[in-house]
Amino acid sequence: MLSPNRRSFLQTLSTAGFGALLAGTALPAWSRQLERSLADYSSFDADKLASEEDFWYSIQQAYTVSPSIINLNNGGVSPSPRVVQEAMKRFQDLSNEGPSYFMWRILDQGREPLRANLARLAGCHPEELAIQRNASEALETVIFGLPLKAGDEVVLSKQDYPNMINAWKQREKRDGIKLVWVNLELPSEDTAYLIQQYSSAFTTKTRIVHITHIINWNGQILPVRKIADAAHDRGIEVLVDGAHSFAHFQFQLKELGADYFGTSLHKWLSACIGTGFLFVKKEKIEKLYPLFGAPAGQETNIRKFENLGTRPFFIEQAIGKAIEFQEMIGAERKEKRLHYLKNYWMEQVKDLSGVEIGTSLQPGFGCAIGLVGVKYRKPADLDQFLFNKFKIHTVGIEWENIKGVRITPHVYTTTKQLDLLVKGIREFVKSGV
Ligand SMILES: Cc1ncc(COP(=O)(O)O)c(C=O)c1O
């Protein structure tokens, strides 16, 4: 049985096909192949589909990624599929026909439907979701907007993202708040240990805990709900950095336990570069100052976080196409495929002499992102070796107690490409013997 989302995507393709036929041209090959694959594999469950290369090859063809490099740094930022790129270009062309009319009066009419669609995908109320340009903007709105005073404590970890750490440090300098640091030993499959690291840092002065849902350095998934429960039991608020979790693995915001949550959409949703959202629990909106001043009357309105001024609405509006693409694949299928890809390469290198694996292979503790290192060798050397010899683009990580090369496939990555990665890691190991 086809899901309603996949059926509607197919209908869109067929309608496009009818129009194209009228215009004397056929649907492009990638789109015909995708249409066939979606139908052929519609009865496969997520586990079975995870290893069906023909299906995922059709997904790859829906992207325009370069065949001259193998991009395994989707953890940095991800490309968009063609449908998203094309929508963005159409909306940009339209904007240039008369920006103030087409952007503000026409395209902006898409803002509320977009808010509703994103909220449906995220599992929250639309009145709790503000559209932003990236995770940094969303999270810094919270970091700088919370009414905190000198002596108030914030619990965060050394393994959080630098932009967020820097923002908190700025508040420490400016307002005299106290930062209480957790230092995580990762990877970990010990939920009790992870909760304990945070809860033992809580005091009567703690006002908020900052939790990174997926640690970007090595892909560790943290037990956010359980840490949030421990925080809420003591009246402590919870800010979640979901830059890497949203549209990567499945969860619903209303069940996560976050009071505030920020994410980028140009990572795992494959929306255009420069997109994100901020979630603020309804009852918390009033006390949170926006980064950009808002007009009177908007105090309890989530839209008070969207007074940014003139910006590319065409980028924002193309998010809708990325949501369709996500739903066409299906969240469970995507999660299982991403997990499969990470484990596919890691299983093949983990027992090589000198290889150090920095990410859990277990669902619940890791998904697509994997970290690998070789004893006594620099991460930057492995990163360079993979690129120079195999044109595999990765990133070397040396941050606090985390060291290795981060490998991040996406839905368009094939196992053939990962076979080359495995070959590259094997050759690097041999080259040091
Ligand atoms: C954990 C984490 N938080 C926040 C960010 C910031 O995201 P952006 O650059 O999209 O603002 C990143 C980016 O990689 C990240 O990995």
Side-chain angles (χ1 to χ4, degrees), residues 75-76 134-137 139 161 163-164 212 214-216 241 243-244 264 266-267 406:
N134 51 46
S136 301
E137 181 171 68
L139 295 164
Y161 191 70
N163 285 6
M164 279 59 257
T212 302
I214 297 187
I215 302 283
N216 58 292
D241 176 346
H244 271 291
S264 310
H266 46 232
K267 292 185 191 290
R406 187 183 69 183

Side-chain angles (χ1 to χ4, degrees), residues 19-39:
L21 278 175
L22 281 181
T25 52
L27 271 181
W30 71 268
S31 136
R32 274 183 278 128
Q33 184 177 341
L34 181 59
E35 188 172 352
R36 254 199 318 273
S37 284
L38 286 166

Side-chain angles (χ1 to χ4, degrees), residues 108-407:
D108 204 34
Q109 288 180 37
R111 175 180 302 269
E112 295 310 318
L114 175 59
R115 189 189 315 283
N117 273 332
L118 271 175
R120 180 177 46 73
L121 198 65
C124 67
H125 196 281
E127 292 299 323
E128 298 177 311
L129 189 145
I131 299 160
Q132 307 273 287
R133 288 173 296 180
N134 51 46
S136 301
E137 181 171 68
L139 295 164
E140 294 197 35
T141 294
V142 182
I143 295 171
F144 290 119
L146 279 173
L148 296 174
K149 58 179 188 325
D152 284 348
E153 292 181 6
V154 176
V155 171
L156 70 170
S157 94
K158 300 254 182 197
Q159 290 74 24
D160 291 327
Y161 191 70
N163 285 6
M164 279 59 257
I165 289 179
N166 293 337
W168 280 119
K169 282 184 172 168
Q170 189 162 309
R171 272 218 86 169
E172 182 183 40
K173 251 195 215 154
R174 201 181 254 186
D175 300 321
I177 62 166
K178 183 176 169 197
L179 303 184
V180 178
W181 297 94
V182 164
N183 193 10
L184 302 169
E185 283 301 326
L186 302 175
S188 174
E189 294 173 359
D190 184 345
T191 304
Y193 160 79
L194 294 167
I195 301 167
Q196 168 71 10
Q197 289 305 294
Y198 284 88
S199 59
S200 63
F202 296 160
T203 73
T204 53
K205 291 185 179 158
T206 311
R207 297 289 166 260
I208 188 158
V209 56
H210 178 117
I211 312 168
T212 302
H213 202 175
I214 297 187
I215 302 283
N216 58 292
W217 311 112
N218 76 329
Q220 173 80 41
I221 300 177
L222 292 182
V224 166
R225 178 57 196 255
K226 294 196 165 105
I227 301 168
D229 286 348
H232 286 145
D233 283 349
R234 305 183 67 158
I236 297 166
E237 295 194 311
V238 177
L239 167 60
V240 176
D241 176 346
H244 271 291
S245 57
F246 184 70
H248 180 167
F249 69 99
Q250 297 179 92
F251 64 92
Q252 293 280 291
L253 269 178
K254 58 180 167 289
E255 287 153 18
L256 191 66
D259 297 298
Y260 314 95
F261 176 97
T263 188
S264 310
L265 299 174
H266 46 232
K267 292 185 191 290
W268 294 100
L269 190 67
S270 268
C272 288
I273 297 163
T275 50
F277 77 73
L278 166 67
F279 158 84
V280 182
K281 235 180 173 173
K282 189 80 183 115
E283 61 271 27
K284 309 275 179 186
I285 295 174
E286 188 166 12
K287 73 165 188 182
L288 187 67
Y289 281 100
L291 270 184
F292 294 82
Q298 274 197 345
E299 291 76 8
T300 59
N301 188 334
I302 193 72
R303 292 160 195 80
K304 77 179 186 183
F305 302 110
E306 294 174 354
N307 290 298
L308 182 62
T310 309
R311 58 191 179 279
F313 281 16
F314 38 90
I315 286 180
E316 214 168 271
Q317 281 309 309
I319 298 171
K321 283 285 167 199
I323 296 174
E324 281 180 14
F325 194 79
Q326 166 83 4
E327 295 190 319
M328 176 200 74
I329 295 178
E332 190 192 4
R333 290 170 153 201
K334 179 171 174 179
E335 175 180 341
K336 292 270 165 73
R337 170 66 172 178
L338 293 174
H339 197 266
Y340 171 82
L341 288 176
K342 196 274 297 334
N343 283 18
Y344 178 87
W345 70 265
M346 262 199 172
E347 295 278 8
Q348 297 183 63
V349 301
K350 71 180 174 37
D351 297 323
L352 294 177
S353 159
V355 163
E356 295 172 324
I357 290 300
T359 308
S360 168
L361 291 147
Q362 294 303 317
F365 295 100
C367 194
I369 302 173
L371 189 79
V372 60
V374 179
K375 235 183 197 155
Y376 309 122
R377 315 271 301 268
K378 285 196 192 128
D381 291 345
L382 174 55
D383 174 51
Q384 278 297 303
F385 183 87
L386 291 173
F387 193 78
N388 292 344
K389 264 203 104 169
F390 297 95
K391 291 287 173 280
I392 296 174
H393 172 56
T394 62
V395 60
I397 304 279
E398 292 207 41
W399 179 264
E400 295 289 341
N401 51 0
I402 303 179
K403 231 174 121 173
V405 165
R406 187 183 69 183
I407 307 290

Side-chain angles (χ1 to χ4, degrees), residues 21 44 415:
L21 278 175
F44 281 50
T415 51

